[in-house]
Each structure stands twice: as C-alpha cells, then as structure tokens.
C-alpha cells in the first residue's frame, strides 16, 4: 500500500508541474515582457514590439517666405507635424498672415535677428536692438513675446547672454541646404545624422528645402521618430 501511495503522490506532483507550465506559458503569451526600455508583447506565435518614441526637431531659419513657407505649412498640417521657425525681422512685413497661421497651427516662433546680423561682432546696443525689434514685431502679430532666439551663424556672447532674457536655440545637424539647394542631398544628410533629441537646421526660403523637409518627415516617421518643437527638447 505504501508503494502505491508513493507512486500516486509522484504522479500527482508531475501532473501539477505540467499544469503550472501550461498556465505560465499562457500568461506570457497574453502579456508583456520588458527588456530594458523595450516593451515586448507576445501574442500566440506573433510579436508586436513597441519601442520608445525617438524625438527630433526640425527648425527653419530666415523666413517667412511668401511662397515656400505656406507650402511648408500645408505639408506640415497634412502630416500633423509641428516645427520651429526662427524669423528675420525684415521679412515679417507683408507676411503677417503666415505668422498668424504658424501660431494657430502650434508651431514655435523664435527670433533670428532683424537683418541676419552676426550679433557677437556688433556693438552690444546694436545687437540688442536687432533682437528687440524683431521680438516686438512678432509680439504685435501673435500677442506673445518670443522666448527663443537663434543668433545668425550661431554667434553669441556672454555679454548678450546677460542683456537678452531669452533662451538660445542652436542646432545639432546643419544641412547646408542654402549651399547645395539639392533636395536629395539634404534628405540623405539628415537621414544619415538623425538621432534621438537632435535639432535639425533648415531654411524655409528655398523650395528644395521645403520639399526635402516633407520627405524627411515621411521617412523618419516610418523609423519611429516623433517631430517636436525645440522647447520640448531644451526644457528637459
């Protein structure tokens, strides 16, 4: 009798082990497995891998342009993408409706000086005037004073830092689009150097740059990038 009871006990424990294995497999098959920052969901024999979003910011200098900036805005609206515009004060007059549209559609509007002056090489008062004049023009159109400035050529100084209460927004990837004016070359350069948190420098005063920007958005969106404005990256 003891042998029979022992055999029954072994058989029972074996059955329990099999049932537990089946339940564990079922739980994993219907649930999630986390590996580092990656969240992996396994359903039956198929995998749906969800990765964290990569953020990238497209920025446009020297506008607004009466033709190419609206074309860019049309493409951005169609794709549901927000970007950052750094405006030249002397290009604002006559393009007020374009700037209002930028604000209404959620784009960041920043300052790129009044006349594309290399600010760090000018008299401090003249440099400050370049910034304040453009700020005032943008304020009169949007009702908001710009918080971000992109100094032409990336040229800034400690003295300006003390005098101008604005955040300087530079860039990580310079497309040199103004030089090449070649859509395919611009696209290749950005795709090659794209990275999470990167700020891309473009200009909305060239048709080739606008065409390249929209192709870049379509390509990088498929690669898991989310397009944000520079404040989303700089405030982190």
């Amino acid at each position: 009798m003891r042998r029979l009871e022992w055999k029954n006990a072994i058989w029972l424990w074996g059955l329990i082990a099999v049932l537990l294995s089946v339940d564990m497999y079922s739980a994993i098959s219907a649930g999630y497995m986390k590996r580092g920052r990656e969240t992996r969901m396994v359903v039956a024999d198929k995998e749906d891998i969800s990765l964290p979003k990569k953020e990238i910011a497209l920025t446009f200098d020297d506008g607004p342009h009466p033709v190419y900036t609206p074309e860019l805005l049309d493409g951005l609206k169609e794709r549901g993408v927000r970007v950052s515009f750094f405006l030249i004060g002397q290009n604002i007059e006559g393009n007020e409706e374009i700037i209002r549209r930028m604000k209404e559609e959620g784009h960041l509007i920043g300052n790129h000086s009044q006349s594309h002056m290399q600010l760090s090489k000018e008299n401090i008062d003249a440099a400050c005037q370049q910034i304040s004049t453009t700020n005032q023009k943008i304020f009169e159109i949007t009702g908001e004073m710009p918080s971000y400035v992109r100094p032409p050529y990336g040229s800034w100084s400690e003295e300006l830092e003390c005098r101008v209460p604005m955040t300087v927004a530079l860039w990580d990837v310079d497309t040199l689009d103004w030089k090449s004016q070649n859509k395919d070359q611009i696209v290749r350069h950005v795709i090659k150097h794209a990275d999470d948190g990167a700020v891309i420098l473009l200009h909305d005063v060239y048709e080739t740059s606008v065409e390249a920007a929209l192709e870049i958005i379509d390509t990088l969106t498929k690669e898991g990038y989310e397009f944000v404005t520079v404040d989303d990256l700089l405030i982190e």
Side-chain angles (χ1 to χ4, degrees):
M1 290 295 293
R2 290 183 178 177
R3 288 185 179 179
L4 182 59
E5 291 174 358
W6 182 250
K7 287 182 179 180
N8 288 341
I10 293 175
W11 179 86
L12 180 59
W13 281 111
L15 179 60
I16 291 172
V18 171
L19 292 174
L20 287 174
S21 298
V22 172
D23 289 342
M24 185 176 295
Y25 175 79
S26 299
I28 292 174
S29 297
Y32 296 89
M33 293 187 297
K34 294 184 179 180
R35 301 180 180 179
R37 294 179 64 197
E38 174 185 311
T39 301
R40 178 176 302 219
M41 182 178 183
V42 184
V43 181
D45 59 344
K46 295 182 179 180
E47 287 189 348
D48 177 22
I49 301 176
S50 300
L51 298 175
K53 279 286 187 180
K54 297 175 287 186
E55 294 184 335
I56 196 166
L58 296 185
T59 65
F60 296 86
D61 290 4
D62 293 1
H65 188 278
V67 176
Y68 303 137
T69 303
E71 288 180 1
L72 175 60
L73 289 170
D74 289 342
L76 296 172
K77 184 175 182 180
E78 180 182 343
R79 292 162 175 78
V81 167
R82 296 180 302 118
V83 301
S84 304
F85 291 96
F86 292 94
L87 309 183
I88 293 289
Q90 64 186 13
N91 291 340
I92 288 177
E93 187 175 354
N95 293 313
E96 291 85 355
E97 285 303 316
I98 296 174
I99 298 171
R100 290 189 186 96
R101 181 180 173 186
M102 288 177 183
K103 182 179 185 297
E104 290 169 2
E105 295 180 0
H107 303 289
L108 182 143
I109 300 174
N111 188 322
H112 197 44
S113 82
Q114 169 65 14
S115 59
H116 211 274
M117 176 186 288
Q118 190 166 351
L119 300 174
S120 64
K121 292 188 175 182
E122 300 296 328
N123 174 278
I124 187 66
D125 291 329
C128 289
Q129 186 65 39
Q130 283 271 319
I131 296 170
S132 61
T133 298
T134 302
N135 275 348
Q136 185 61 33
K137 289 182 177 181
I138 293 172
F139 175 77
E140 289 172 359
I141 297 168
T142 66
E144 292 182 4
M145 194 67 74
S147 298
Y148 293 85
V149 59
R150 171 167 288 169
Y153 314 105
S155 179
W156 198 242
S157 68
E158 291 185 4
E159 191 172 7
L160 280 167
E161 188 76 34
C162 295
R163 292 276 297 271
V164 179
M166 300 177 73
T167 301
V168 177
L170 299 179
W171 57 87
D172 300 301
V173 179
D174 187 351
T175 62
L176 297 177
D177 56 336
W178 59 272
K179 187 175 183 179
S180 69
Q181 295 191 42
N182 181 302
K183 186 201 76 169
D184 293 336
Q185 184 174 325
I186 297 166
V187 172
R188 284 196 302 270
H189 185 77
V190 174
I191 300 304
K192 179 180 179 181
H193 297 282
D195 195 13
D196 184 23
V199 177
I200 313 298
L201 171 60
L202 292 154
H203 299 79
D204 53 319
V205 294
Y206 304 105
E207 184 176 20
T208 49
S209 298
V210 170
E211 293 172 348
L214 299 179
E215 185 171 330
I216 288 164
I217 291 170
D218 292 341
T219 301
L220 292 183
T221 297
K222 293 176 183 177
E223 295 184 8
Y225 280 91
E226 179 180 356
F227 291 87
V228 299
T229 50
V230 291
D231 54 327
D232 291 324
L233 297 179
L234 296 179
I235 62 176
E236 294 180 354

